[in-house]
Amino acid sequence: MTAPTSETTLLIWYCQSCRKSCKVQPPNEDPACTCKTPVPALRPTEVTVLHTPKARPMHALSDEEGRIRALARKGTKVRVTFEAEVVDAMQWSSAGDRGLSFTVRTSDRRRFTFNPQLEGLYIEGIPQEDG
């Protein structure tokens, strides 16, 4: 598969003395003319420059990275599961609506707040280990 290319058209006025560019429009590059008083041509020359994007380095994907990338498409339904410890539980009411929210902390100390009434969210307890 070839990468799409973009092109830019430049107007270049060449110096009549040294035959180098003395004016470029749009000014995205410096003129090459070093004459003290350049003598530009009456009409510019149209030059089309093709821009090819740089090739991205490729690397082999592990099975897990390939699986995760396959899931990272808009509209894919996923189930996310992680273990956390309940830090706080809050009962709330607002405009006749009431509910319960959980704040949990994961093992890497990140905090998340959940409303268990959200559709598709399921929270379950983990049995305590006897030690």
Side-chain angles (χ1 to χ4, degrees), residues 15-77:
C15 177
Q16 299 298 307
S17 301
C18 66
R19 305 274 187 232
K20 295 179 181 176
S21 62
C22 62
K23 181 180 176 186
V24 180
Q25 242 180 0
N28 60 349
E29 62 180 62
D30 293 330
C33 176
T34 57
C35 299
K36 290 194 185 254
T37 55
V39 182
L42 293 177
R43 291 190 179 94
T45 303
E46 277 190 22
V47 176
T48 301
V49 180
L50 293 175
H51 303 284
T52 311
K54 293 180 182 177
R56 287 197 251 156
M58 297 183 71
H59 66 279
L61 299 179
S62 67
D63 290 343
E64 179 65 10
E65 190 176 3
R67 186 185 71 78
I68 293 295
R69 286 185 181 215
L71 292 173
R73 288 183 173 75
K74 201 173 201 174
T76 303
K77 293 189 178 200

Side-chain angles (χ1 to χ4, degrees), residues 1-14:
M1 184 168 103
T2 59
T5 58
S6 62
E7 57 183 47
T8 304
T9 302
L10 302 173
L11 296 177
I12 300 177
W13 284 263
Y14 289 98

Side-chain angles (χ1 to χ4, degrees), residues 105-122:
R105 182 176 55 220
T106 59
S107 60
D108 60 356
R109 314 281 296 160
R110 294 182 187 176
R111 290 178 171 249
F112 300 94
T113 302
F114 296 104
N115 178 356
Q117 293 176 326
L118 293 175
E119 189 175 320
L121 180 65
Y122 179 73

Side-chain angles (χ1 to χ4, degrees), residues 59-110:
H59 66 279
L61 299 179
S62 67
D63 290 343
E64 179 65 10
E65 190 176 3
R67 186 185 71 78
I68 293 295
R69 286 185 181 215
L71 292 173
R73 288 183 173 75
K74 201 173 201 174
T76 303
K77 293 189 178 200
V78 297
R79 176 175 290 126
V80 179
T81 306
F82 62 91
E83 292 182 8
E85 178 184 328
V86 175
V87 176
D88 196 11
M90 298 164 283
Q91 188 172 1
W92 55 269
S93 63
S94 173
D97 196 17
R98 15 181 260 178
L100 183 69
S101 294
F102 287 94
T103 301
V104 297
R105 182 176 55 220
T106 59
S107 60
D108 60 356
R109 314 281 296 160
R110 294 182 187 176

